Amino acid sequence: MRSIGDRRQRGEVRAPAMTEQKVAVVTGASSGIGAATARRLADEGFEVVLTARRTERIEALAKEIEGRGGTARAVTLDVTDRAAVDAFAAGVGRVDVLVNNAGGAVGAETVEHGDPADWRAMYEVNVLGVLHVTQALLPALRATGDGTVLVLSSTAALAAYEGGGGYVAAKHAAHTIAATLRLELCGEPIRVIEIAPGMVKSEGFAITRFRGDEEKAAAVYAGVAEPLTSEDVADTVAWAVTRPSHVNIDLLVVRPRAQAANHKVHRG
Ligand SMILES: NC(=O)c1ccc[n+]([C@@H]2O[C@H](COP(=O)([O-])OP(=O)(O)OC[C@H]3O[C@@H](n4cnc5c(N)ncnc54)[C@H](OP(=O)(O)O)[C@@H]3O)[C@@H](O)[C@H]2O)c1
């Protein structure tokens, strides 16, 4: 089936009419789930602000989105750099939706053998990154009178698995940010949504985890007929953020059919 973007290019569909175009900021939009989410939110009629450290990639994606009739801006941003995040927030303008997607795993060692530097790096991006960007953009989200904060956590945010210690700990913390913020903002016009995907065969996740070792990265998905794709996750993000304003999807867990739990994967 052709994408909404393709069909819009052919004049078959139009972006949903928004009186003023809503703006969605996506962190980690240079790859995988973040890039797919940016494309999809643009198709839904949002102006998308693409952020990541790899400038060339987000600039190319912004061009691609503009080429298919969407609106996009690319802004280089490392979410672990608080000063850079504050400068970004000062210049971004209107923000209706924040998708906290930047993150990932480094290493698959046991707790006994894990490198504290890897644990620290995972905490910096998956936890403090979410904290930095959310804190910095809350005033803008509040100012719209109808803001949405989304945290892309993981099923690692909900249960442990062997060799996942540092990532599991970081994603549990990201889950806790979402849960706490939802309580603290109750009564304000801001939704807090958490999407927790299981196994996604995205562009970079396994490669980053295994430090560029393509063989080890490929083994993660070996024999799994259909892991989730980045587009599957983008679909759940788009669905969750386009519900009516009073509907808050607190926590949505999405896994491939072949994965019944973090450690229970059917391999053919
Ligand atoms: N793949 C899975 O199985 C899976 C499952 C559940 C949850 N997730 C989560 O989904 C999110 C996206 O992962 P993915 O699978 O799409 O992996 P990916 O293809 O490796 O994408 C990771 C993205 O995060 C960005 N990023 C990393 N560190 C950053 C930093 N310090 N500042 C800004 N951006 C940074 C990267 O951009 P730059 O390198 O250009 O900065 C990249 O765009 C992550 O939070 C991941 O933990 C993935």
Side-chain angles (χ1 to χ4, degrees), residues 3 43 72 83 105 164 171 198 206 208 215 264:
S3 72
D43 287 348
K171 287 300 192 183
T208 302
E215 217 170 289
K264 170 98 178 155

Side-chain angles (χ1 to χ4, degrees), residues 9 61 69 83 87 113 126 139 170 189 202 213 235 248 252 262 265 267:
Q9 256 186 339
L61 180 55
H113 299 294
N126 292 289
S202 66
D213 185 327
D235 193 40
N248 196 120
L252 192 156
N262 289 353
V265 179
R267 297 181 193 269

Side-chain angles (χ1 to χ4, degrees), residues 27-35 51-55 57-58 77-81 100-105 124-126 129 152-156 167 171 195-208 220-221 228 230 233 254:
T27 68
S30 61
S31 171
I33 295 167
T51 72
R53 294 167 303 178
R54 286 173 290 176
T55 307
R57 279 177 163 249
I58 49 174
L77 184 65
D78 180 340
V79 297
T80 67
D81 179 344
N100 282 300
N101 163 79
E124 287 277 345
V125 64
N126 292 289
L152 211 300
S153 65
S154 167
T155 50
Y167 183 60
K171 287 300 192 183
I195 307 268
M199 180 188 280
V200 187
K201 195 171 181 182
S202 66
E203 202 179 340
F205 182 82
I207 288 282
T208 302
V220 171
Y221 310 103
L228 293 179
S230 295
V233 181
V254 51

Side-chain angles (χ1 to χ4, degrees), residues 72-235:
R73 268 182 276 159
V75 184
T76 308
L77 184 65
D78 180 340
V79 297
T80 67
D81 179 344
R82 183 56 194 249
V85 170
D86 286 341
F88 166 73
V92 69
R94 174 176 178 155
V95 181
D96 298 87
V97 173
L98 164 62
V99 179
N100 282 300
N101 163 79
V106 187
E109 291 77 18
T110 57
V111 170
E112 183 177 2
H113 299 294
D115 182 343
D118 290 341
W119 283 56
R120 197 169 291 119
M122 286 188 277
Y123 197 86
E124 287 277 345
V125 64
N126 292 289
V127 188
L128 297 181
V130 173
L131 181 71
H132 291 159
V133 184
T134 303
Q135 284 184 334
L137 293 185
L138 268 178
L141 289 158
R142 188 175 281 124
T144 64
D146 185 15
T148 299
V149 176
L150 187 144
V151 176
L152 211 300
S153 65
S154 167
T155 50
L158 308 171
Y161 58 94
E162 301 96 319
Y167 183 60
V168 165
K171 287 300 192 183
H172 270 67
H175 165 77
T176 300
I177 292 177
T180 309
L181 191 63
R182 195 177 303 114
L183 294 171
E184 291 170 352
L185 295 179
C186 184
E188 293 205 51
I190 303 176
R191 300 186 287 191
V192 182
I193 297 171
E194 178 182 356
I195 307 268
M199 180 188 280
V200 187
K201 195 171 181 182
S202 66
E203 202 179 340
F205 182 82
I207 288 282
T208 302
R209 171 163 247 171
F210 293 105
R211 303 178 172 88
D213 185 327
E214 290 185 11
E215 217 170 289
K216 281 187 182 165
V220 171
Y221 310 103
V224 182
E226 285 180 295
L228 293 179
T229 64
S230 295
E231 289 70 26
D232 291 327
V233 181
D235 193 40

